[in-house]
Amino acid sequence: MFWLRELNMFGWNGHFLNVNLSTRKFAVESYDAHFASRFIGGRGFATKILWDRLPPKMDPLSPRNLLIFAAGPLTGYPLPNSGKLVVASKSPLTGGYGDGNIGTYAAVNIRKAGYDAIIVQGKAEKPTILYVNNGMVEFLDAGDLWGSCSFRTEAQLRGVYGRVAGIVSIGQGGENLVKFACVVSQEGRAGGRPGIGAVMGSKKLKALVVEGSKELSAADPNALREQGIAGYREILAKPNYSFWKRQGTMSTVEWANENSVLPAFNYREGVFSEAEKIGGFAAEGLKVSNRGCPNCNMTCGNVVKDAEGCNSELDYENVAMLGSNIGLGDLGQVSVLTRVADEFGLDAISLGNVLGFAIEASEKGVLAEKLSWGDFAEAKTLSEDIAFRRGLGNLLADGVRAAAIKIGGNSADWAMHVKGLEISAYDCRTTPAMALAYATSPVGAHHKDAWVVGWETQHDRFGYGEEKAAHVLETQNTRGVFELLGVCRFPFVNLGFDRDWYLKYLSLATGETFTWEMLSSASERVFSLVRAFWIREYGDAWSSDFDVPPARWFNEPLNQGPLKGSRLDRKKYGAFLQSYYQKRGWNARGIPMKMTLEKLGLSEVALQICSD
Ligand code: PTT
Ligand code: SF4
């Protein structure tokens, strides 16, 4: 724990903007140094606000839910990759904590408008644009934009507010309360996998537009600017920089296939015979430009011409889920599906997941509809049906967990999710630590808090040893810091940009001295608070079963590839999970113990969830 001399001077703005869409009122709220030092920003602020202000067990799509746009203390400064924003809420998909991390000019503008977060509650009477310009807040009629896709919405708003205004919007998916609808910005940045777009839609909020013109204060602005330039230079000089610019995350397709972790045919397989056709080099063949988040010089968005002649932005996750996972090996067509996901504002990972699930259900005769692997036209039509909740699309719009409950049979065995959030694009039959990372992620099966699969393929790959559980935990704590600071983790993870740069930046911005131990301990505090949120929501129903990966990975071995025959071992996984809990200071049900919460400075939380 550290203490700030005074807040509202440097680094943090010290203010939240509270907006009530029902009453059309707003108020600026100040927070103190103690709050900032414990929760830092981004996910830390969002989690604490949700914990303090949200009544347990309320309907996530009701007006009482909070929609939070939270920046971090580094967001918006002229330093590498500082254009990130956490969008958070209680998730309609999982019923637990939900967030996403989106690169957007809205992140920068929120900070320059004088806030560190915008907290939206209530529900507008009719479709609304929330317009924030520094201290001014307006509730604008979105009538003619309601029903538009996110691209058209943003284009119209950009026509009015210009190129660098901060705009995040929803597409038809969010409007129609698809439970995995996300929020979209800049035609290719998307965030909030666990249905944050649906929460926005439930509030009849079509878009948030923010303009800010204040200079961000810093304890040592000149040194911060100089070190920012030095950081950009170092990124440019990284040996893998030029390959990263060529392919971004797309090179992962070939890597995942070679390592038998590329999801194919609804995770029946970890290899795909047409992987090269949808891989990084194939993407280079369709590529027209790079796109990215504000303040980034390693822009990773691969903009390609898709099979319909439109621009589409490709990332590994989207391509694996809408390509190999549905048996589609034509990258131009996969690109159409990823664009459609962005236009409708549907999370592409969950979309690929529910499509794969539906095709398998059809093949097995559990669904009456006839669907086939690799059928682009069918997949496109079904994506549209999901966005508009038509027919089978309506069933799939609630996510794979709910769909499996409705269609029955043994479909729950091949519904690929953890806690209701669909699995991201790594098959884990041969990587137990990555399975553990999915199972214990703060939002459900997301790879972002602990992408340990790359490390694991080189370290005791099939093992369930304690050191692997420790590695998952440490990675979660380290990656979690990026969720607090409001910067992208890719320079650190993908280019080897030293994480100490961020300590330097934080110290120059705030005038306080930071160590990684301090930040990591704040990250651990937030991680346990997120866990407490889940426990409070699920109450007595909570058990360690919530932290277990899908049954398919235990029951069905890989059928193809060099690791044919591999699968997870349920007994060993159980012991692995318990070892992880012990290291976290959680009990055998995965509930943080009183002494753990007290050590983390969360005694008030212990009172609500601990019985030990
Ligand atoms: C993120 C998840 C990811 S993670 C991907 S690809 W990835 C998918 N992208 C989607 C998309 O695109 N369109 C769409 N309709 N749905 C999508 N769903 C999927 O969403 C993203 C990058 C990426 S690309 C990653 S890993 C890193 N994630 C970071 C993170 O989580 N924190 C952090 N501090 N830095 C990060 N840097 C990288 O950001 P969610 P973005 Mg995204 C088109 O939000 O909910 O976390 O889901 O924000 O601006 O697009 O950047 O291989
Ligand atoms: Fe955004 Fe990619 Fe740059 Fe990260 S590396 S800030 S995700 S464009």
Side-chain angles (χ1 to χ4, degrees):
M1 176 74 66
F2 57 95
W3 297 95
L4 303 173
R5 284 185 291 277
E6 192 177 349
L7 191 65
N8 208 9
M9 284 174 62
F10 304 120
W12 290 273
N13 281 312
H15 301 301
F16 299 144
L17 175 67
N18 282 290
V19 178
N20 189 321
L21 291 169
S22 304
T23 60
R24 292 189 157 216
K25 293 207 165 115
F26 66 95
V28 177
E29 170 190 357
S30 302
Y31 62 85
D32 62 17
H34 185 55
F35 182 86
S37 68
R38 290 170 79 211
F39 299 102
I40 309 290
R43 175 188 278 168
F45 284 177
T47 310
K48 178 68 170 139
I49 291 165
L50 289 170
W51 174 264
D52 286 344
R53 304 183 192 183
L54 215 57
K57 303 186 198 302
M58 41 75 60
D59 176 1
L61 296 178
S62 76
R64 293 193 73 177
N65 200 1
L66 299 176
L67 171 64
I68 302 175
F69 301 92
L74 291 183
T75 308
Y77 286 113
L79 54 87
N81 310 55
S82 64
K84 288 281 190 179
L85 186 70
V86 167
V87 290
S89 208
K90 177 175 172 183
S91 160
L93 184 64
T94 67
Y97 173 79
D99 75 16
N101 197 308
I102 181 170
T104 168
Y105 283 107
V108 177
N109 278 281
I110 286 173
R111 292 267 289 157
K112 292 197 167 173
Y115 312 109
D116 296 315
I118 297 181
I119 305 164
V120 182
Q121 63 170 305
K123 176 181 178 180
E125 232 169 61
K126 52 187 183 173
T128 294
I129 311 284
L130 178 61
Y131 175 59
V132 178
N133 185 327
N134 296 304
M136 186 186 84
V137 176
E138 288 181 4
F139 301 86
L140 308 174
D141 188 2
D144 56 345
L145 286 176
W146 198 255
S148 300
C149 75
S150 71
F151 288 13
R152 182 164 168 263
T153 301
E154 182 154 340
Q156 299 260 100
L157 292 170
R158 275 219 185 276
V160 180
Y161 298 102
R163 202 177 55 84
V164 292
I167 301 173
V168 290
S169 69
I170 53 169
Q172 297 93 333
E175 292 178 10
N176 295 319
L177 310 182
V178 174
K179 290 199 175 158
F180 50 86
C182 53
V183 304
V184 182
S185 191
Q186 297 163 212
E187 293 192 4
R189 321 249 64 82
R193 290 197 54 214
I196 310 303
V199 174
M200 198 157 155
S202 74
K203 298 188 174 306
K204 288 266 183 286
L205 182 61
K206 182 67 182 170
L208 165 71
V209 180
V210 198
E211 292 186 286
S213 55
K214 297 190 173 110
E215 191 71 24
L216 285 179
S217 69
D220 191 341
N222 291 335
L224 185 59
R225 202 173 311 110
E226 275 164 27
Q227 289 301 314
I229 292 167
Y232 282 120
R233 284 208 186 108
E234 177 151 326
I235 287 174
L236 283 177
K238 288 287 175 194
N240 43 351
Y241 177 83
S242 63
F243 187 63
W244 172 264
K245 284 283 278 194
R246 278 169 50 195
Q247 297 201 358
T249 58
M250 280 298 292
S251 59
T252 313
V253 175
E254 284 92 341
W255 176 86
N257 193 51
E258 280 157 23
N259 284 280
S260 299
V261 296
L262 179 70
F265 306 100
N266 193 31
Y267 295 83
R268 276 211 295 239
E269 302 301 340
V271 291
F272 183 50
S273 59
E274 297 180 276
E276 270 185 25
K277 287 165 64 183
I278 58 166
F281 291 97
E284 283 196 60
L286 301 181
K287 190 159 172 173
V288 289
S289 64
N290 277 71
R291 214 161 38 194
C293 312
N295 297 350
C296 173
N297 71 340
M298 51 182 277
T299 47
C300 66
N302 296 290
V303 183
V304 299
K305 273 279 171 253
D306 67 30
E308 294 178 350
C310 300
N311 283 351
S312 168
E313 194 175 313
L314 300 184
D315 288 301
Y316 164 70
E317 298 285 332
N318 306 352
V319 168
M321 295 311 300
L322 293 165
S324 50
N325 198 53
I326 62 167
L328 183 59
D330 179 315
L331 190 58
Q333 294 180 342
V334 175
S335 307
V336 172
L337 297 180
T338 73
R339 169 173 52 82
V340 163
D342 286 346
E343 287 173 337
F344 289 139
L346 299 175
D347 172 55
I349 295 176
S350 291
L351 179 63
N353 216 303
V354 297
L355 292 176
F357 173 83
I359 300 168
E360 181 162 357
S362 164
E363 189 183 55
K364 290 191 157 126
V366 192
L367 271 184
E369 288 82 353
K370 287 280 158 263
L371 299 168
S372 317
W373 297 111
D375 190 319
F376 163 66
E378 267 174 17
K380 191 178 171 206
T381 306
L382 192 48
S383 303
E384 189 172 320
D385 289 346
I386 290 169
F388 289 93
R389 283 190 168 274
R390 291 188 293 241
L392 174 60
N394 189 35
L395 174 85
L396 300 175
D398 287 336
V400 83
R401 176 172 69 177
I405 291 169
K406 280 197 191 125
I407 69 173
N410 62 351
S411 62
D413 288 351
W414 29 274
M416 303 303 289
H417 70 91
V418 173
K419 302 184 186 72
L421 182 69
E422 288 75 18
I423 296 261
S424 323
Y426 302 94
D427 188 279
C428 291
R429 286 177 179 88
T430 58
T431 52
M434 190 63 221
L436 179 68
Y438 275 140
T440 57
S441 142
V443 296
H446 204 315
H447 58 290
K448 68 182 187 174
D449 280 85
W451 190 85
V452 294
V453 63
W455 170 87
E456 189 172 23
T457 52
Q458 311 291 322
H459 293 86
D460 183 22
R461 175 160 190 172
F462 302 96
Y464 295 77
E466 274 198 29
E467 65 294 345
K468 288 181 76 177
H471 183 76
V472 171
L473 188 156
E474 276 158 28
T475 309
Q476 287 169 334
N477 284 350
T478 306
R479 300 282 167 91
V481 171
F482 292 84
E483 303 313 304
L484 311 182
L485 294 180
V487 294
C488 176
R489 64 163 193 263
F490 273 171
F492 163 63
V493 173
N494 295 82
L495 295 192
F497 184 62
D498 199 309
R499 63 183 196 174
D500 285 354
W501 280 95
Y502 297 102
L503 285 183
K504 201 185 306 178
Y505 292 143
L506 199 54
S507 299
L508 293 172
T510 63
E512 300 292 328
T513 305
F514 288 85
T515 63
W516 261 95
E517 287 65 40
M518 285 171 173
L519 292 180
S520 179
S521 125
S523 166
E524 192 165 3
R525 176 177 306 116
V526 172
F527 202 91
S528 281
L529 185 57
V530 169
R531 171 60 54 142
F533 186 91
W534 281 92
I535 308 286
R536 191 171 70 175
E537 290 301 328
Y538 277 89
D540 290 342
W542 186 269
S543 78
S544 60
D545 291 347
F546 278 76
D547 293 332
V548 174
R552 165 158 274 173
W553 288 343
F554 294 105
N555 298 342
E556 298 174 36
L558 290 174
N559 282 311
Q560 287 175 25
L563 300 180
K564 186 175 167 183
S566 306
R567 61 176 156 166
L568 291 178
D569 181 306
R570 199 174 278 279
K571 206 166 154 211
K572 287 183 186 162
Y573 178 82
F576 196 40
L577 179 62
Q578 288 302 326
S579 136
Y580 170 89
Y581 285 167
Q582 274 169 21
K583 290 178 199 318
R584 277 247 173 244
W586 297 354
N587 70 15
R589 283 173 68 207
I591 300 175
M593 290 191 283
K594 193 164 166 241
M595 57 185 273
T596 306
L597 292 172
E598 283 172 353
K599 205 173 86 197
L600 292 169
L602 295 171
S603 309
E604 75 281 9
V605 175
L607 290 175
Q608 291 194 47
I609 64 155
C610 293
S611 52
D612 60 308

